[in-house]
Amino acid sequence: MTPDSLDGNAYPVAGAILPGPLLAIESSCDETACAILAPDGRVLAERLVSQEAHAAFGGVVPEIAARAHLALLPDLAGKTLESSGLARGDLAAVAASTGPGLIGGLIVGASFGKGLAIALGKPFIAVNHIEAHALSARLPGVSDGQIGFPFLLLLVSGGHCQCLAVEGVGRYRRLGGTIDDAAGEAFDKVAKMLGLGWPGGPALERLAREGDPAAFALPRPLKGRAGCDFSFSGLKTAIARQLEPFGSAALPRQVAADLAASFQQAVADVIEDRVTHALAMMERPTALVAAGGVAANTVLRERLTALAAAHGLPFVAPPLRLCTDNAVMVGWAALEICREAARLGLPVPDDRAMRPRPRWPLGEMAERFAVG
Ligand code: KG4
Ligand code: ZN
């Protein structure tokens, strides 16, 4: 739909960026979140609910997530607007994660966003959730001075594990990714085997502090292999094998701590190796960026900081609340998209005709900037 077809409500035409703040929505997994950003990226208000109903199931249950998003979102959006001190009519656009992710949640967030945009006569900007993670490192204040393109993004969360060359807004090259579990998924599964709660990553990291990382000889899947794909399922199996002698008996705490430390060490070794390969696959990267919940891991952060320094690069990891799923990154990505469109002399995009997509390859993101 072109801007002209929006019943008389003016919003920026070709070459203009947003004239006012935007509301951003995130609902692709188990976080329901809203944020309001000024056109320059300042966060005017932010609200986030991490759905707790999944803990009892040891993982995100898509149907429960979708229903929770539906129950939470309208009120959350209203409260976010209220705390920004703005009225609905002040919004210049609405943005939402429209894929990839769990389809039920995406439908809730994107439909709500589109409905609001239509009611206000303002554009709806469909944001790719991975693109939002990728660009979050450029949010004002995340590093000293905004990092430039290209940079290497390591995205490691419960649902994603990949290395991306971020070459510009809309220009992403997937260098490699997991061929089985995501890194966070591996942390969660191993934590469960060790009798820890969910999500397991933080609990496993805490337990690992009491353990010896050299206590168990675990495999380093794909280490040294060409490219930068990841694999974690073999590590999980190796842990299961170490647990076999204990049967159903309670695991001695020191054994659990040693296993946790050895597992964490193996994951850090593998990620360090894969990221080294990814850096070699890029020409003159400006920074190494890590995002996703696993980027909170201290051992991993130390490794990546040292690795980046060895390559003469800064290591940038957004603060944890921006590393994990949130709506600020969705709003920021929408602003970056608007700015890039303006740079190219294109109008503010309006994606209200776009359907939510459980899969939405990043390679398709350049299409919105294709001229002619
Ligand atoms: O980005 P995120 O909040 O949600 C998505 O998966 O999109 O990431 C959550 C994942 C979980 O698997 C959790 O166990 C892991 O990140 N995680 C960690 C740590 N904190 C969170 N893994 C290792 N060490 C941590 N400190
Ligand atoms: Zn995510």
Side-chain angles (χ1 to χ4, degrees):
M1 189 177 279
T2 65
D4 298 340
S5 61
L6 296 176
D7 50 0
N9 284 293
Y11 68 80
V13 290
I17 57 164
L18 287 178
L22 61 71
L23 170 71
I25 299 163
E26 164 56 38
S27 62
S28 67
C29 191
D30 59 339
E31 260 86 28
T32 314
C34 291
I36 295 177
L37 272 69
D40 62 3
R42 265 174 311 127
V43 180
L44 304 179
E46 183 191 1
R47 298 251 172 167
L48 182 143
V49 178
S50 284
Q51 300 173 4
E52 283 166 6
H54 307 284
F57 300 91
V60 179
V61 183
E63 183 63 23
I64 292 177
R67 284 168 193 269
H69 286 304
L70 191 58
L72 292 164
L73 187 55
D75 188 49
L76 202 70
K79 292 215 167 92
T80 310
L81 196 61
E82 203 180 298
S83 53
S84 73
L86 298 169
R88 268 196 302 178
D90 296 327
L91 296 174
V94 182
S97 275
T98 306
L102 300 175
I103 190 64
L106 291 172
I107 290 174
V108 171
S111 305
F112 183 88
K114 286 180 195 178
L116 183 58
I118 290 168
L120 297 173
K122 299 290 161 63
F124 171 75
I125 302 164
V127 172
N128 180 304
H129 177 87
I130 307 286
E131 177 173 39
H133 274 301
L135 296 173
S136 64
R138 283 168 49 82
L139 258 158
V142 163
S143 60
D144 309 336
Q146 195 177 53
I147 58 166
F149 301 115
F151 61 85
L152 174 64
L153 172 75
L154 167 72
L155 179 56
V156 272
S157 70
H160 328 289
C161 182
Q162 51 185 287
C163 284
L164 277 181
V166 183
E167 294 170 343
V169 178
R171 303 215 315 274
Y172 314 99
R173 202 156 46 89
R174 190 176 186 278
L175 302 172
T178 185
I179 55 173
D180 41 56
D181 294 344
E185 200 179 347
F187 267 96
D188 291 339
K189 287 178 179 169
V190 169
K192 194 171 176 185
M193 290 187 221
L194 298 179
L196 306 172
W198 182 86
L204 191 145
E205 177 173 7
R206 272 193 303 277
L207 181 61
R209 283 190 207 121
E210 300 169 26
D212 173 7
F216 291 92
L218 298 174
R220 301 313 193 239
L222 300 187
K223 187 174 172 189
R225 201 78 73 79
C228 64
D229 281 342
F230 300 80
S231 167
F232 295 105
S233 71
L235 252 177
K236 199 178 57 192
T237 314
I239 298 275
R241 207 163 298 134
Q242 297 291 348
L243 291 173
E244 271 164 19
F246 297 94
S248 56
L251 198 59
R253 186 165 174 95
Q254 195 54 49
V255 175
D258 286 346
L259 274 170
S262 302
F263 167 78
Q264 184 174 256
Q265 180 87 350
V267 172
D269 280 355
V270 166
I271 292 180
E272 182 182 2
D273 174 75
R274 307 286 69 204
V275 171
T276 305
H277 279 235
L279 283 170
M281 291 163 82
M282 288 184 71
E283 246 172 70
R284 295 174 183 271
T286 62
L288 169 60
V289 175
V294 183
N297 187 280
T298 313
V299 171
L300 182 61
R301 272 185 189 239
E302 284 169 4
R303 290 292 196 87
L304 295 174
T305 306
L307 177 63
H311 284 77
L313 299 174
F315 172 65
V316 179
L320 190 56
R321 68 183 181 81
L322 294 173
C323 248
T324 54
D325 288 351
N326 66 88
V328 171
M329 69 177 188
V330 177
W332 174 251
L335 290 173
E336 291 252 47
I337 289 167
C338 290
R339 213 168 297 125
E340 181 66 2
R343 196 179 68 78
L344 297 169
L346 297 168
V348 169
D350 193 348
D351 304 319
R352 64 180 65 177
M354 208 199 116
R355 288 186 186 188
R357 294 179 57 175
R359 290 181 182 277
W360 189 7
L362 276 177
E364 294 180 21
M365 301 318 295
E367 285 170 15
R368 70 156 81 243
F369 300 118
V371 185

